[in-house]
Amino acid sequence: LECLVEAAAPAVQALLPPELHAVELQHAFRTNNFVGRDEAFKRHVDKYAVTLNVCLRKTADVRGSRVFFFESDAAAEPSYAHVHEVGLAVLHSSKEWHQTEPLLAGERGSLIMWY
């Protein structure tokens, strides 16, 4: 996990505002998304300062499971839709409204790191 924290540091420095450059890892966990998983993916903000979502696994038949970002909780349409690809990550302020789209086919796993 420390290797990933070190690997993410240049992105945190380059892409986030200066007040977030000194963030430290607070919590990390893996997800395993699959069709039929009893999970409600509601629009939310995270309780930490920064979120790093790294795609670790994605089957070829995945449909759905994008992460939508919104300007506010009331926004009708997302301002950005992130499509997961193995080895790629999305780094964002934890205070940005976001929501994971239901998975319609396949399986996907991520590492979520909260700073």
Side-chain angles (χ1 to χ4, degrees), residues 63-91:
R63 284 188 305 130
S65 199
R66 296 174 292 177
V67 179
F68 296 119
F69 291 89
F70 300 87
E71 295 293 326
S72 71
D73 186 31
E77 296 294 324
S79 56
Y80 174 70
H82 177 74
V83 178
H84 292 281
E85 296 297 336
V86 174
L88 297 182
V90 60
L91 174 71

Side-chain angles (χ1 to χ4, degrees), residues 83-103:
V83 178
H84 292 281
E85 296 297 336
V86 174
L88 297 182
V90 60
L91 174 71
H92 63 90
S93 163
S94 296
K95 303 313 173 207
E96 289 185 60
W97 287 96
H98 57 285
Q99 178 178 12
T100 300
E101 176 183 38
L103 186 67

Side-chain angles (χ1 to χ4, degrees), residues 1 4-5 9 12 19 28 33 38 40-42 46 48-49 56 58 78 80 89 91 93-94 99-100 104 111 114:
L1 195 55
L4 289 172
V5 170
V12 168
E19 61 269 18
N33 299 30
D38 186 22
F41 295 109
K42 296 179 180 179
D46 299 325
Y48 297 97
L56 301 176
K58 178 181 174 183
Y80 174 70
L91 174 71
S93 163
S94 296
Q99 178 178 12
T100 300
L104 304 173
L111 172 65
W114 284 330

